[in-house]
């Protein structure tokens, strides 16, 4: 059940900062070529997330299509994220029985490069009402809003979401 206080999306303030409370309807798995799985709140190094991950969707069907948004709500830094959100990846028309490689890439994968502090990188999955429903595409990656994008394209609430934390490797190695 979404919204429980133990929910990592609540603890990590993904629900609130990026998306509203929702009930997960499908399962989404995000795996980087470096064999790193994305689990809520886990830390991944920038070197492990250089190349776009494979995103699998479980629970869709032949008639369903999905939109995937990957965003960083902590730009330029988590203490003052006044440039939020930065759009890292946008894929639409993902068939419900496959993965992102079959979708339509609107914005290609932009590797995380956190400068200040620990950033959250959030994958949000929306179920489209039909194919090619995403017509309102952002002009740039900067100052993106996942909520506004979903509203403009009538996507409703997310059906799945997962996030990881990431910081500059030099800072992490010094600990």
């Amino acid at each position: 059940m979404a919204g429980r206080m133990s929910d990592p999306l609540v603890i990590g303030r993904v629900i609130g900062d990026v998306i509203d409370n929702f009930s997960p309807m499908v399962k989404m798995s995000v795996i980087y070529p470096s064999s790193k799985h994305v689990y809520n709140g886990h830390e991944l190094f920038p070197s492990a997330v250089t190349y776009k991950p494979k995103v699998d969707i479980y629970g869709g069907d032949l008639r369903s299509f999905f939109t995937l948004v990957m965003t960083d709500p902590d730009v330029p830094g988590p203490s003052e994220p006044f440039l939020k959100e930065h759009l890292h990846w946008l894929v639409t028309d993902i068939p419900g029985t496959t993965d992102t490689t079959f979708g339509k890439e609107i914005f290609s994968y932009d590797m995380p490069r956190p400068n200040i502090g620990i950033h959250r990188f959030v994958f949000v999955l929306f179920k489209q009402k039909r194919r090619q429903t995403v017509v309102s595409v952002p002009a740039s990656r900067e100052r993106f809003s996942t909520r506004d994008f979903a509203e403009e394209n009538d996507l409703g609430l997310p059906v799945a979401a997962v996030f990881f934390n990431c910081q500059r490797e030099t800072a992490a190695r010094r600990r």
Side-chain angles (χ1 to χ4, degrees), residues 1 3 5 18-19 30 57 67 70-71 73 75 84 87 94 101 107 145 170:
M1 189 69 205
M5 293 327 271
V18 180
I19 51 177
V30 180
I57 301 160
T67 291
M70 178 190 177
T71 180
V75 182
K84 69 175 167 196
L87 179 62
I94 303 163
T101 50
F107 277 90
S145 165
T170 48

Side-chain angles (χ1 to χ4, degrees), residues 74 77-81 116:
D74 299 316
S79 56
E80 284 196 41
I116 311 159

Side-chain angles (χ1 to χ4, degrees), residues 107-136:
F107 277 90
S108 62
Y109 182 78
D110 181 25
M111 68 175 276
R113 293 182 198 85
N115 259 339
I116 311 159
I118 299 172
H119 289 235
R120 295 165 293 166
F121 291 89
V122 185
F123 295 87
V124 184
L125 191 69
F126 295 96
K127 186 172 183 187
Q128 298 172 198
K129 296 210 173 14
R130 63 190 174 285
R131 196 179 185 142
Q132 296 174 333
T133 41
V134 176
V135 286
S136 175

